[in-house]
Amino acid sequence: MLNFDENRFLKIQGGAVALRARLEDVISTCLKSGAENIFFLGTGGAAILMQPAAQLLQRRSRFPTFIDMPAELILTGSANLTAKSIIVMPSLSGTTKESVALLAKMKEIGATVITLVGHADTPLGRGGDHVFVNFAEDDTSCESFYLQSLFIALSIMRHWGELENHAEITAELDRLPHLLLSVKRGFEPKAAEFATKLASADYHIITGAGNVWPEAFYYGMCILEEMQWIRTRPVHASDFFHGTLELIEKDVSLILFKGEDALRPLANRVEAFVPQYTDRLIVLDTAEFELEGISPEVRALISPILLATLLERISAHLEVLRDHPLTTRRYYKRVAY
């Protein structure tokens, strides 16, 4: 595969899976100690990657779950954020400015802070009450963060008696690193084709629904915009027909992500409409990829993880086609802002 280290990928995703037992222990301890709610408080891309787990809890659990922006909470606070709150703070670098600032406030409040970082010797790596370290880099962090947050959500549901088959689900999740690698290998030829289509336009509308919508948002903002300087318009599939459909015309590119959860019909609706007005529709559908031994229930849970692993292959080809390395920045962490 182009510019890809298979052993490194397995080590990183295997590292995320290896954190599951301790994550479950910490969550169980917090809940037994009287925790009343959970906040997922990441910044930027890391925050977006927490959304599927937060959504899962909000829709299928009685445990109060919130997701908010540290930059706003620093200024406003929250009536629900108390000493009985569990705070999940993801940051690959462990140095994200807004998250570090919020960490100090969480200490004052007395909330229990769980940090998910790629580096231990950092403010967030040293500052959490419970620190989980799994080294990763930009091209491998999505799957790692998705998995860790999913383990947290599933653990809460098990504690509340809302998930009878927790052991079976997590046993399937433990197999994911090797399965994802197999998917990457099989997708490599098509990844180059997808990248060519992406490189042929300087503006894309990106949409999806359910738990793959965050990946659509993430890929548009953090990869195409930040790392490739390609203009995008991420829009949730449920909002597409309330404004953005008017931008569809000949030669307008639309990228559609399709997952396997209950919100798939919203993506189907977009897919039926768009080809009538433009021939530049790119569809990436997780249902087209084999994951041996993974049940439909778990496939629905991991659709964003599968998309992330496919998109990494597309991005690897895209940076070569455009002669624009994914590490190139003009402003991000380069100038004062």
Side-chain angles (χ1 to χ4, degrees):
M1 287 184 279
L2 178 66
N3 296 334
F4 187 74
D5 185 331
E6 295 189 3
N7 290 329
R8 171 173 163 270
F9 177 79
L10 288 175
K11 182 177 180 180
I12 290 168
Q13 307 317 326
V17 168
L19 294 175
R20 177 174 62 81
R22 185 168 156 248
L23 280 166
E24 292 174 354
D25 287 343
V26 168
I27 292 297
S28 179
T29 298
C30 290
L31 295 175
K32 290 176 181 177
S33 298
E36 295 180 347
N37 58 41
I38 185 168
F39 278 76
F40 290 90
L41 299 178
T43 298
I48 297 170
L49 299 175
M50 299 292 106
Q51 289 182 17
Q55 181 189 89
L56 177 65
L57 287 170
Q58 288 169 342
R59 292 179 173 169
R60 291 180 51 183
S61 176
R62 293 169 289 123
F63 192 65
T65 301
F66 302 89
I67 186 164
D68 213 325
M69 295 182 177
E72 291 197 353
L73 281 181
I74 291 169
L75 299 175
T76 65
S78 169
N80 293 295
L81 209 164
T82 72
K84 292 186 176 294
S85 296
I86 303 170
I87 311 299
V88 178
M89 301 186 75
S91 170
L92 184 60
S93 68
T95 62
T96 309
K97 181 179 179 181
E98 296 89 340
S99 297
V100 172
L102 185 64
L103 177 64
K105 286 190 174 290
M106 296 304 96
K107 294 291 188 180
E108 292 175 6
I109 291 171
T112 299
V113 179
I114 298 171
T115 57
L116 312 177
V117 299
H119 306 275
D121 191 19
T122 59
L124 291 177
R126 295 186 298 266
D129 297 302
H130 305 280
V131 178
F132 292 83
V133 183
N134 187 43
F135 171 80
E137 292 179 310
D138 286 339
D139 61 332
T140 52
S141 64
C142 287
E143 297 97 328
S144 175
F145 277 138
Y146 276 139
L147 280 167
Q148 292 175 65
S149 59
L150 179 57
F151 291 145
I152 290 171
L154 294 174
S155 180
I156 290 172
M157 293 171 68
R158 179 182 66 170
H159 180 89
W160 282 88
E162 298 161 334
L163 194 66
E164 294 181 357
N165 59 338
H166 178 271
E168 290 81 2
I169 289 174
T170 53
E172 291 185 35
L173 293 174
D174 287 349
R175 301 176 55 227
L176 266 190
H178 286 277
L179 290 173
L180 292 175
L181 179 57
S182 179
V183 167
K184 284 180 182 288
R185 289 171 178 159
F187 183 61
E188 186 72 4
K190 288 189 176 181
E193 295 177 18
F194 273 84
T196 299
K197 292 178 181 178
L198 287 181
S200 67
D202 58 5
Y203 167 73
H204 300 279
I205 297 170
I206 305 179
T207 191
N211 64 5
V212 302
W213 156 244
E215 184 61 23
F217 184 23
Y218 178 92
Y219 195 70
M221 185 178 80
C222 296
I223 308 302
L224 295 185
E225 290 184 346
E226 178 187 323
M227 300 183 184
Q228 286 294 292
W229 306 347
I230 295 174
R231 292 174 175 83
T232 70
R233 166 65 166 105
V235 57
H236 195 288
S238 67
D239 289 329
F240 178 83
F241 292 98
H242 298 274
T244 308
L245 81 166
E246 288 295 335
L247 296 178
I248 299 297
E249 59 183 346
K250 187 177 186 242
D251 294 329
V252 170
S253 171
L254 185 134
I255 304 169
L256 173 63
F257 293 165
K258 296 180 69 174
E260 299 172 59
D261 64 8
L263 283 300
R264 185 178 174 90
L266 297 177
N268 290 340
R269 185 185 180 200
V270 174
E271 187 175 21
F273 172 83
V274 170
Q276 300 175 71
Y277 304 101
T278 181
D279 60 358
R280 303 199 70 167
L281 171 63
I282 302 171
V283 179
L284 198 55
D285 184 353
T286 64
E288 296 178 359
F289 298 89
E290 182 179 355
L291 291 170
E292 185 177 355
I294 301 299
S295 64
E297 179 181 9
V298 173
R299 287 190 66 104
L301 290 173
I302 65 169
S303 290
I305 302 175
L306 182 52
L307 273 177
T309 221
L310 295 167
L311 288 163
E312 180 277 325
R313 287 290 77 218
I314 294 173
S315 299
H317 287 272
L318 185 61
E319 69 172 344
V320 173
L321 281 171
R322 301 186 73 246
D323 192 25
H324 186 124
L326 294 167
T327 53
T328 299
R329 305 287 189 279
R330 284 182 291 206
Y331 314 117
Y332 183 65
K333 294 186 177 180
R334 294 184 182 276
V335 301
Y337 52 83

